[in-house]
Amino acid sequence: MRVELESARRKAERELMKLPFVHGIATTNDREAIVVFVESEEQAQMIPLEYAGFPVEVFVTGKIEALSLVAPLVKRTERFRPAPGGVSIGHYTITAGTLGSRVYDSRTGARLILSNNHVLAATNRGEPGDPILQPGPYDGGTMKDMIARLLRFVRLLPPPTYNRVDCAVAMPIMNAYLSDEILGIGVVNEENFNPEVGMTVFKSGRTTGVTSGKITYTNATVKVWYGGGRYYIFGDQIVTTFMARGGDSGSLLVDEDHRAVGLLFAGSSRVTVHNRIEYVCRELGVTFSRMKVRPPKIKKEYLIAAGAFIASTALTYYIARRWLR
Amino acid sequence: MVTAHEVRAKYERWLLTLGGVVGVTSTDDKIIVLVMSQRDAVKIPRELDGFPVEVRVVGEVRFLP
């Protein structure tokens, strides 16, 4: 009997699910009936009372929508494939930071992972080709969780030099491992190079998820400590109200129109500090919009030189042939 | 006419050598010094070359790995 009910349910799934107002099919354990989920009472009356020899019960559920990824049910410290922005990531020797966003290589158009130098390149200690794990080692990531290899980073320089960025990019080992989305924010395809004081901004990070804040300064010089009383100086930084904790480093800072504004990398118990995205894009050679990616230009001088070479060769050949005749 | 940004640039290196100073920034009309704690605020001058100096306690800034 049970087998028959199962096959009736599968038949119902094939046929009844075609109706736009049917949202789901189930069976009951005790009453040997097929259950059909619909959105409203009116639609309930359009469902047959019996189907394939079994009674049909109608259940009005309202519209069922996919649970948003913002829901706290999502653990950002788990393994994601494809991995979106806002989840745990890290160089194999560090603890864990945040996968900022998918960006494009300005030269080749390749899709890359953007985060901080201190997340993807272990604060200058990393070398191109090093394994990048998702989740990061602190969250249980092992070599089996390698998602990418370090591609390039901007070196952090000790005082008195001012740094502008703490950033790095990694190349996914498989293109399909990287999502275009940022968890709870969506796809970012544009930059906003003009952060302004008072602007509302958002980020999606490993530890504190999606949080919002306000820009308080756009041109701050900040000392950032990293243990043992040592610090780096960062110039021309964006400072916001408190919006991140340890593990959120590498998060992308976006404005209300989902445009990239900054790259979160440091903070205290009262403020959070971000690199300007303009410097990040320029110094790493990356972009958020695919349209801007162009193949490398051939310099005009090279074209002229090549043309002159071909012309002179042809001329020499022509003259030689006439003289040697 | 000297702006607050120019005055800030002039004194920034010196301000950063003071213990407890975390950062320096400026707006069109004032210089802002970020410090670790209220204790550090007393070392900061109230005014530099005629521009007011505002002190903000932000705590120690660290990387957030």
Side-chain angles (χ1 to χ4, degrees), chain A residues 95-96 118 160 162 166 217 219-227 232 244-249 264-268 270-271 273, chain B residues 5 8 12-13 15-27 32 34 36 54 56-65:
Chain A
T95 52
H118 80 263
Y162 278 37
D166 172 9
Y217 311 113
N219 59 351
T221 300
V222 182
K223 281 183 183 174
V224 178
W225 276 266
Y226 60 97
Y232 287 112
R245 291 181 195 279
D248 286 331
S249 263
L264 192 158
F265 78 105
S268 71
R270 300 190 188 198
V271 294
V273 190
Chain B
H5 298 296
R8 169 247 178 129
E12 182 168 306
R13 290 275 181 189
L15 285 166
L16 287 172
T17 62
L18 300 176
V21 171
V22 175
V24 181
T25 183
S26 52
T27 62
I32 298 145
L34 312 176
M36 251 183 237
E54 191 179 294
R56 287 280 173 86
V57 179
V58 299
E60 185 176 83
V61 177
R62 298 187 141 266
F63 286 133
L64 297 173

Short mmCIF file of all heavy atoms in Angstrom, two decimals, chain A residues 95-96 118 160 162 166 217 219-227 232 244-249 264-268 270-271 273, chain B residues 5 8 12-13 15-27 32 34 36 54 56-65:
data_model
loop_
_atom_site.label_atom_id
_atom_site.label_comp_id
_atom_site.label_asym_id
_atom_site.label_seq_id
_atom_site.Cartn_x
_atom_site.Cartn_y
_atom_site.Cartn_z
N THR A 95 45.04 32.52 10.75
CA THR A 95 43.83 32.06 11.43
C THR A 95 42.67 32.07 10.44
O THR A 95 42.46 31.08 9.75
CB THR A 95 43.53 32.97 12.64
OG1 THR A 95 43.53 34.34 12.21
CG2 THR A 95 44.57 32.79 13.71
N ALA A 96 41.98 33.18 10.31
CA ALA A 96 40.92 33.30 9.32
C ALA A 96 40.52 34.74 9.16
O ALA A 96 40.52 35.51 10.12
CB ALA A 96 39.71 32.47 9.72
N HIS A 118 47.09 40.70 4.89
CA HIS A 118 47.28 39.93 6.12
C HIS A 118 46.35 38.72 6.22
O HIS A 118 46.51 37.90 7.11
CB HIS A 118 47.23 40.83 7.37
CG HIS A 118 45.87 41.22 7.85
ND1 HIS A 118 45.27 42.42 7.52
CD2 HIS A 118 45.00 40.58 8.66
CE1 HIS A 118 44.09 42.48 8.12
NE2 HIS A 118 43.90 41.38 8.80
N PRO A 160 58.99 54.70 8.66
CA PRO A 160 58.04 55.82 8.55
C PRO A 160 57.23 55.81 7.25
O PRO A 160 56.50 56.77 7.00
CB PRO A 160 58.98 57.02 8.57
CG PRO A 160 60.23 56.53 7.90
CD PRO A 160 60.36 55.10 8.27
N TYR A 162 54.29 55.41 4.69
CA TYR A 162 52.82 55.33 4.78
C TYR A 162 52.34 54.28 3.79
O TYR A 162 52.72 54.30 2.62
CB TYR A 162 52.18 56.67 4.38
CG TYR A 162 52.14 57.70 5.47
CD1 TYR A 162 53.17 57.83 6.38
CD2 TYR A 162 51.05 58.56 5.56
CE1 TYR A 162 53.12 58.80 7.37
CE2 TYR A 162 51.00 59.53 6.55
CZ TYR A 162 52.04 59.65 7.45
OH TYR A 162 51.99 60.61 8.42
N ASP A 166 46.05 47.40 2.33
CA ASP A 166 46.39 46.09 2.87
C ASP A 166 45.55 45.13 2.04
O ASP A 166 44.44 44.79 2.41
CB ASP A 166 45.99 46.03 4.35
CG ASP A 166 46.13 44.64 4.94
OD1 ASP A 166 46.67 43.75 4.27
OD2 ASP A 166 45.67 44.44 6.09
N TYR A 217 35.42 59.69 8.79
CA TYR A 217 36.54 60.41 8.15
C TYR A 217 36.89 59.70 6.85
O TYR A 217 36.79 58.49 6.76
CB TYR A 217 37.78 60.42 9.06
CG TYR A 217 37.49 60.83 10.47
CD1 TYR A 217 37.62 59.92 11.50
CD2 TYR A 217 37.09 62.14 10.75
CE1 TYR A 217 37.34 60.30 12.81
CE2 TYR A 217 36.80 62.51 12.05
CZ TYR A 217 36.93 61.59 13.08
OH TYR A 217 36.64 61.96 14.36
N ASN A 219 39.92 60.72 5.16
CA ASN A 219 41.32 61.00 4.85
C ASN A 219 42.20 60.85 6.09
O ASN A 219 43.03 61.68 6.38
CB ASN A 219 41.46 62.42 4.29
CG ASN A 219 40.93 63.46 5.27
OD1 ASN A 219 40.33 63.11 6.29
ND2 ASN A 219 41.18 64.72 4.99
N ALA A 220 41.98 59.78 6.83
CA ALA A 220 42.69 59.64 8.10
C ALA A 220 44.02 58.90 7.95
O ALA A 220 44.15 58.02 7.11
CB ALA A 220 41.80 58.89 9.10
N THR A 221 44.97 59.32 8.76
CA THR A 221 46.22 58.58 8.90
C THR A 221 46.07 57.75 10.18
O THR A 221 45.68 58.30 11.21
CB THR A 221 47.41 59.54 9.05
OG1 THR A 221 47.45 60.37 7.89
CG2 THR A 221 48.71 58.78 9.20
N VAL A 222 46.31 56.46 10.10
CA VAL A 222 46.05 55.60 11.26
C VAL A 222 47.23 54.65 11.49
O VAL A 222 47.78 54.10 10.55
CB VAL A 222 44.75 54.77 11.04
CG1 VAL A 222 44.46 53.92 12.26
CG2 VAL A 222 43.58 55.67 10.73
N LYS A 223 47.59 54.49 12.77
CA LYS A 223 48.59 53.49 13.15
C LYS A 223 47.85 52.20 13.44
O LYS A 223 46.89 52.19 14.22
CB LYS A 223 49.28 53.91 14.45
CG LYS A 223 50.36 54.96 14.30
CD LYS A 223 50.93 55.16 15.70
CE LYS A 223 51.98 56.22 15.76
NZ LYS A 223 52.39 56.44 17.16
N VAL A 224 48.31 51.11 12.84
CA VAL A 224 47.66 49.82 13.08
C VAL A 224 48.65 48.86 13.71
O VAL A 224 49.65 48.50 13.10
CB VAL A 224 47.09 49.24 11.77
CG1 VAL A 224 46.46 47.88 12.01
CG2 VAL A 224 46.06 50.19 11.17
N TRP A 225 48.36 48.45 14.95
CA TRP A 225 49.25 47.55 15.70
C TRP A 225 49.03 46.10 15.31
O TRP A 225 47.91 45.69 15.01
CB TRP A 225 49.01 47.73 17.19
CG TRP A 225 49.76 48.87 17.78
CD1 TRP A 225 50.97 48.82 18.38
CD2 TRP A 225 49.37 50.25 17.81
NE1 TRP A 225 51.36 50.08 18.78
CE2 TRP A 225 50.40 50.96 18.45
CE3 TRP A 225 48.25 50.93 17.34
CZ2 TRP A 225 50.33 52.34 18.63
CZ3 TRP A 225 48.19 52.29 17.53
CH2 TRP A 225 49.23 52.99 18.17
N TYR A 226 50.12 45.34 15.31
CA TYR A 226 49.96 43.92 14.98
C TYR A 226 50.76 43.02 15.92
O TYR A 226 51.22 41.96 15.56
CB TYR A 226 50.31 43.66 13.52
CG TYR A 226 51.73 44.01 13.11
CD1 TYR A 226 52.72 43.03 13.06
CD2 TYR A 226 52.05 45.30 12.76
CE1 TYR A 226 54.01 43.35 12.67
CE2 TYR A 226 53.34 45.62 12.37
CZ TYR A 226 54.31 44.64 12.33
OH TYR A 226 55.58 44.95 11.96
N GLY A 227 50.91 43.45 17.15
CA GLY A 227 51.58 42.59 18.15
C GLY A 227 53.00 43.03 18.41
O GLY A 227 53.69 43.52 17.53
N TYR A 232 52.05 49.48 11.68
CA TYR A 232 52.19 50.03 10.34
C TYR A 232 51.42 51.34 10.33
O TYR A 232 50.44 51.50 11.06
CB TYR A 232 51.57 49.11 9.29
CG TYR A 232 52.35 47.85 9.02
CD1 TYR A 232 51.85 46.61 9.39
CD2 TYR A 232 53.57 47.91 8.36
CE1 TYR A 232 52.56 45.45 9.12
CE2 TYR A 232 54.29 46.76 8.09
CZ TYR A 232 53.79 45.52 8.47
OH TYR A 232 54.48 44.38 8.21
N ALA A 244 32.85 46.06 12.87
CA ALA A 244 33.53 44.78 12.62
C ALA A 244 34.32 44.31 13.82
O ALA A 244 34.75 45.10 14.67
CB ALA A 244 34.46 44.94 11.43
N ARG A 245 34.53 42.99 13.88
CA ARG A 245 35.37 42.37 14.92
C ARG A 245 36.39 41.48 14.24
O ARG A 245 36.37 41.30 13.02
CB ARG A 245 34.51 41.50 15.84
CG ARG A 245 33.57 42.28 16.72
CD ARG A 245 32.78 41.33 17.62
NE ARG A 245 31.64 41.99 18.21
CZ ARG A 245 31.69 42.77 19.29
NH1 ARG A 245 32.84 42.97 19.89
NH2 ARG A 245 30.61 43.34 19.75
N GLY A 246 37.25 40.86 15.07
CA GLY A 246 38.27 39.97 14.54
C GLY A 246 37.66 38.91 13.63
O GLY A 246 36.67 38.30 13.99
N GLY A 247 38.27 38.71 12.45
CA GLY A 247 37.74 37.74 11.49
C GLY A 247 36.99 38.42 10.35
O GLY A 247 36.71 37.81 9.33
N ASP A 248 36.66 39.70 10.53
CA ASP A 248 35.95 40.44 9.48
C ASP A 248 36.90 41.11 8.49
O ASP A 248 36.46 41.67 7.48
CB ASP A 248 35.03 41.50 10.09
CG ASP A 248 33.79 40.89 10.74
OD1 ASP A 248 33.36 39.82 10.27
OD2 ASP A 248 33.27 41.47 11.71
N SER A 249 38.20 41.07 8.75
CA SER A 249 39.18 41.66 7.85
C SER A 249 39.03 41.09 6.44
O SER A 249 38.93 39.87 6.27
CB SER A 249 40.60 41.32 8.33
OG SER A 249 41.12 42.38 9.08
N LEU A 264 37.71 46.66 4.19
CA LEU A 264 37.87 46.65 5.64
C LEU A 264 39.14 45.90 6.02
O LEU A 264 39.39 44.82 5.50
CB LEU A 264 36.64 45.98 6.24
CG LEU A 264 36.36 46.03 7.73
CD1 LEU A 264 34.88 45.79 7.97
CD2 LEU A 264 37.20 45.10 8.54
N PHE A 265 39.95 46.45 6.93
CA PHE A 265 41.16 45.71 7.31
C PHE A 265 41.56 45.85 8.77
O PHE A 265 42.34 45.05 9.28
CB PHE A 265 42.34 46.12 6.42
CG PHE A 265 42.96 47.45 6.80
CD1 PHE A 265 44.17 47.49 7.47
CD2 PHE A 265 42.32 48.62 6.50
CE1 PHE A 265 44.74 48.71 7.84
CE2 PHE A 265 42.87 49.84 6.87
CZ PHE A 265 44.09 49.89 7.53
N ALA A 266 41.05 46.85 9.47
CA ALA A 266 41.47 47.04 10.86
C ALA A 266 40.38 47.73 11.65
O ALA A 266 39.41 48.24 11.09
CB ALA A 266 42.75 47.89 10.89
N GLY A 267 40.58 47.75 12.98
CA GLY A 267 39.59 48.42 13.79
C GLY A 267 39.93 48.36 15.26
O GLY A 267 40.84 47.65 15.68
N SER A 268 39.18 49.14 16.03
CA SER A 268 39.31 49.13 17.49
C SER A 268 37.93 48.81 18.04
O SER A 268 37.04 48.42 17.30
CB SER A 268 39.77 50.50 17.97
OG SER A 268 38.72 51.44 17.83
N ARG A 270 35.94 50.91 18.97
CA ARG A 270 35.03 52.02 18.67
C ARG A 270 34.91 52.38 17.21
O ARG A 270 33.92 52.98 16.79
CB ARG A 270 35.48 53.27 19.42
CG ARG A 270 35.49 53.04 20.90
CD ARG A 270 35.69 54.33 21.60
NE ARG A 270 35.90 54.09 23.02
CZ ARG A 270 35.77 55.03 23.94
NH1 ARG A 270 35.47 56.25 23.58
NH2 ARG A 270 35.97 54.75 25.20
N VAL A 271 35.97 52.09 16.43
CA VAL A 271 35.93 52.47 15.02
C VAL A 271 36.40 51.29 14.15
O VAL A 271 37.01 50.35 14.65
CB VAL A 271 36.84 53.68 14.71
CG1 VAL A 271 36.34 54.93 15.40
CG2 VAL A 271 38.28 53.39 15.07
N VAL A 273 38.39 50.59 10.27
CA VAL A 273 39.20 51.30 9.29
C VAL A 273 39.25 50.52 7.96
O VAL A 273 39.36 49.29 7.97
CB VAL A 273 40.64 51.52 9.82
CG1 VAL A 273 41.40 52.47 8.91
CG2 VAL A 273 40.60 52.08 11.24
N HIS B 5 43.96 71.41 6.43
CA HIS B 5 44.61 70.22 5.86
C HIS B 5 46.13 70.42 5.77
O HIS B 5 46.89 69.49 6.02
CB HIS B 5 44.05 69.93 4.48
CG HIS B 5 42.58 69.61 4.48
ND1 HIS B 5 42.05 68.53 5.12
CD2 HIS B 5 41.52 70.28 3.94
CE1 HIS B 5 40.72 68.51 4.97
NE2 HIS B 5 40.38 69.58 4.25
N ARG B 8 47.55 70.30 9.28
CA ARG B 8 47.56 68.90 9.70
C ARG B 8 48.77 68.18 9.10
O ARG B 8 49.48 67.45 9.77
CB ARG B 8 46.25 68.24 9.25
CG ARG B 8 46.21 66.73 9.37
CD ARG B 8 46.14 66.10 7.99
NE ARG B 8 46.14 64.67 8.04
CZ ARG B 8 45.25 63.90 7.43
NH1 ARG B 8 44.26 64.44 6.77
NH2 ARG B 8 45.37 62.60 7.48
N GLU B 12 51.54 66.36 11.29
CA GLU B 12 51.12 64.96 11.39
C GLU B 12 52.21 64.03 11.92
O GLU B 12 51.98 63.26 12.86
CB GLU B 12 50.63 64.47 10.02
CG GLU B 12 50.13 63.05 10.08
CD GLU B 12 49.39 62.64 8.83
OE1 GLU B 12 48.44 63.34 8.44
OE2 GLU B 12 49.76 61.62 8.24
N ARG B 13 53.41 64.12 11.34
CA ARG B 13 54.52 63.25 11.76
C ARG B 13 54.81 63.40 13.25
O ARG B 13 55.02 62.43 13.96
CB ARG B 13 55.78 63.57 10.96
CG ARG B 13 55.70 63.17 9.51
CD ARG B 13 56.09 61.72 9.33
NE ARG B 13 56.03 61.34 7.94
CZ ARG B 13 56.15 60.07 7.53
NH1 ARG B 13 56.34 59.10 8.39
NH2 ARG B 13 56.08 59.80 6.26
N LEU B 15 52.74 64.59 15.59
CA LEU B 15 51.62 64.09 16.40
C LEU B 15 51.69 62.57 16.53
O LEU B 15 51.43 62.01 17.59
CB LEU B 15 50.29 64.50 15.76
CG LEU B 15 49.89 65.97 15.92
CD1 LEU B 15 48.76 66.34 14.98
CD2 LEU B 15 49.51 66.26 17.37
N LEU B 16 52.08 61.88 15.44
CA LEU B 16 52.12 60.42 15.46
C LEU B 16 53.23 59.87 16.37
O LEU B 16 53.18 58.71 16.76
CB LEU B 16 52.29 59.87 14.04
CG LEU B 16 51.05 59.97 13.14
CD1 LEU B 16 51.40 59.57 11.71
CD2 LEU B 16 49.91 59.11 13.66
N THR B 17 54.22 60.72 16.70
CA THR B 17 55.27 60.24 17.59
C THR B 17 54.83 60.30 19.06
O THR B 17 55.44 59.67 19.91
CB THR B 17 56.57 61.07 17.45
OG1 THR B 17 56.27 62.42 17.82
CG2 THR B 17 57.11 61.03 16.04
N LEU B 18 53.78 61.06 19.34
CA LEU B 18 53.30 61.17 20.73
C LEU B 18 52.68 59.83 21.14
O LEU B 18 51.92 59.23 20.38
CB LEU B 18 52.25 62.28 20.85
CG LEU B 18 52.70 63.69 20.46
CD1 LEU B 18 51.51 64.64 20.54
CD2 LEU B 18 53.82 64.17 21.37
N GLY B 19 53.03 59.37 22.33
CA GLY B 19 52.47 58.11 22.82
C GLY B 19 50.96 58.18 22.91
O GLY B 19 50.41 59.21 23.32
N GLY B 20 50.29 57.12 22.52
CA GLY B 20 48.84 57.07 22.64
C GLY B 20 48.10 57.65 21.45
O GLY B 20 46.89 57.53 21.36
N VAL B 21 48.83 58.27 20.53
CA VAL B 21 48.15 58.79 19.34
C VAL B 21 47.99 57.66 18.32
O VAL B 21 48.95 56.99 17.96
CB VAL B 21 48.91 59.98 18.72
CG1 VAL B 21 48.31 60.36 17.37
CG2 VAL B 21 48.87 61.17 19.66
N VAL B 22 46.75 57.46 17.89
CA VAL B 22 46.41 56.37 16.98
C VAL B 22 46.34 56.88 15.54
O VAL B 22 46.71 56.18 14.60
CB VAL B 22 45.06 55.76 17.39
CG1 VAL B 22 44.61 54.71 16.40
CG2 VAL B 22 45.15 55.17 18.78
N GLY B 23 45.87 58.10 15.39
CA GLY B 23 45.70 58.60 14.03
C GLY B 23 45.48 60.10 13.99
O GLY B 23 45.25 60.74 15.02
N VAL B 24 45.56 60.62 12.77
CA VAL B 24 45.36 62.06 12.56
C VAL B 24 44.51 62.24 11.31
O VAL B 24 44.70 61.54 10.32
CB VAL B 24 46.71 62.78 12.35
CG1 VAL B 24 46.50 64.27 12.16
CG2 VAL B 24 47.66 62.52 13.51
N THR B 25 43.58 63.15 11.38
CA THR B 25 42.82 63.48 10.18
C THR B 25 42.40 64.95 10.27
O THR B 25 42.74 65.63 11.25
CB THR B 25 41.62 62.52 9.98
OG1 THR B 25 40.95 62.84 8.77
CG2 THR B 25 40.63 62.60 11.14
N SER B 26 41.70 65.42 9.25
CA SER B 26 41.31 66.84 9.27
C SER B 26 40.06 67.06 8.45
O SER B 26 39.76 66.29 7.54
CB SER B 26 42.45 67.70 8.71
OG SER B 26 42.86 67.20 7.45
N THR B 27 39.34 68.10 8.81
CA THR B 27 38.22 68.55 7.99
C THR B 27 38.63 69.95 7.49
O THR B 27 39.75 70.38 7.74
CB THR B 27 36.92 68.64 8.81
OG1 THR B 27 37.13 69.61 9.84
CG2 THR B 27 36.57 67.30 9.44
N ILE B 32 41.82 66.72 13.60
CA ILE B 32 41.29 65.72 14.53
C ILE B 32 42.39 64.72 14.86
O ILE B 32 43.06 64.20 13.97
CB ILE B 32 40.08 64.99 13.91
CG1 ILE B 32 38.96 66.02 13.63
CG2 ILE B 32 39.57 63.89 14.83
CD1 ILE B 32 38.17 65.73 12.42
N LEU B 34 43.16 61.16 16.77
CA LEU B 34 42.55 59.96 17.35
C LEU B 34 43.53 59.39 18.37
O LEU B 34 44.71 59.20 18.06
CB LEU B 34 42.29 58.93 16.25
CG LEU B 34 41.60 59.44 14.98
CD1 LEU B 34 41.49 58.34 13.92
CD2 LEU B 34 40.21 59.98 15.30
N MET B 36 44.28 56.63 21.96
CA MET B 36 43.91 55.35 22.52
C MET B 36 42.95 55.48 23.70
O MET B 36 41.96 54.78 23.77
CB MET B 36 45.17 54.63 22.99
CG MET B 36 45.51 53.46 22.11
SD MET B 36 46.93 52.62 22.76
CE MET B 36 48.01 52.70 21.37
N GLU B 54 40.60 68.72 17.66
CA GLU B 54 39.59 67.92 18.35
C GLU B 54 40.21 66.56 18.67
O GLU B 54 40.89 65.99 17.82
CB GLU B 54 38.40 67.75 17.40
CG GLU B 54 37.17 67.18 18.03
CD GLU B 54 36.04 67.10 17.00
OE1 GLU B 54 35.57 68.16 16.53
OE2 GLU B 54 35.68 65.97 16.63
N ARG B 56 39.64 62.59 19.70
CA ARG B 56 38.64 61.51 19.75
C ARG B 56 39.29 60.26 20.30
O ARG B 56 40.35 59.85 19.81
CB ARG B 56 38.13 61.19 18.34
CG ARG B 56 37.21 62.22 17.75
CD ARG B 56 35.80 62.03 18.30
NE ARG B 56 34.94 63.12 17.86
CZ ARG B 56 34.31 63.11 16.70
NH1 ARG B 56 34.42 62.09 15.89
NH2 ARG B 56 33.54 64.12 16.37
N VAL B 57 38.67 59.66 21.30
CA VAL B 57 39.19 58.41 21.86
C VAL B 57 38.65 57.24 21.04
O VAL B 57 37.43 57.07 20.94
CB VAL B 57 38.77 58.26 23.34
CG1 VAL B 57 39.29 56.94 23.91
CG2 VAL B 57 39.29 59.44 24.15
N VAL B 58 39.53 56.48 20.41
CA VAL B 58 39.07 55.36 19.57
C VAL B 58 39.60 54.01 20.05
O VAL B 58 39.17 52.98 19.58
CB VAL B 58 39.44 55.56 18.09
CG1 VAL B 58 38.82 56.80 17.52
CG2 VAL B 58 40.95 55.57 17.88
N GLY B 59 40.56 54.00 20.98
CA GLY B 59 41.14 52.71 21.41
C GLY B 59 42.26 52.31 20.47
O GLY B 59 42.60 53.05 19.54
N GLU B 60 42.84 51.14 20.73
CA GLU B 60 43.95 50.67 19.90
C GLU B 60 43.42 50.03 18.63
O GLU B 60 42.55 49.17 18.68
CB GLU B 60 44.79 49.65 20.68
CG GLU B 60 46.03 49.22 19.93
CD GLU B 60 46.92 48.27 20.74
OE1 GLU B 60 46.64 47.07 20.76
OE2 GLU B 60 47.88 48.77 21.34
N VAL B 61 43.94 50.48 17.48
CA VAL B 61 43.49 49.91 16.21
C VAL B 61 44.37 48.73 15.84
O VAL B 61 45.60 48.83 15.88
CB VAL B 61 43.52 50.98 15.09
CG1 VAL B 61 43.11 50.37 13.76
CG2 VAL B 61 42.62 52.14 15.43
N ARG B 62 43.75 47.61 15.53
CA ARG B 62 44.51 46.39 15.16
C ARG B 62 43.95 45.80 13.88
O ARG B 62 42.82 46.07 13.50
CB ARG B 62 44.37 45.34 16.28
CG ARG B 62 44.91 45.78 17.61
CD ARG B 62 44.89 44.65 18.61
NE ARG B 62 46.09 44.70 19.42
CZ ARG B 62 47.20 44.02 19.17
NH1 ARG B 62 47.27 43.20 18.14
NH2 ARG B 62 48.25 44.13 19.95
N PHE B 63 44.76 44.93 13.25
CA PHE B 63 44.24 44.14 12.14
C PHE B 63 43.13 43.26 12.70
O PHE B 63 43.15 42.92 13.88
CB PHE B 63 45.34 43.25 11.55
CG PHE B 63 46.35 43.99 10.73
CD1 PHE B 63 47.70 43.76 10.92
CD2 PHE B 63 45.96 44.90 9.77
CE1 PHE B 63 48.65 44.42 10.15
CE2 PHE B 63 46.90 45.58 9.01
CZ PHE B 63 48.25 45.34 9.20
N LEU B 64 42.20 42.86 11.83
CA LEU B 64 41.08 42.04 12.31
C LEU B 64 41.04 40.66 11.65
O LEU B 64 40.04 40.28 11.08
CB LEU B 64 39.75 42.78 12.06
CG LEU B 64 39.56 44.10 12.79
CD1 LEU B 64 38.30 44.80 12.31
CD2 LEU B 64 39.48 43.87 14.29
N PRO B 65 42.14 39.92 11.73
CA PRO B 65 42.12 38.62 11.07
C PRO B 65 41.25 37.65 11.86
O PRO B 65 41.02 37.91 13.03
CB PRO B 65 43.56 38.17 11.07
CG PRO B 65 44.14 38.79 12.27
CD PRO B 65 43.42 40.11 12.45
#
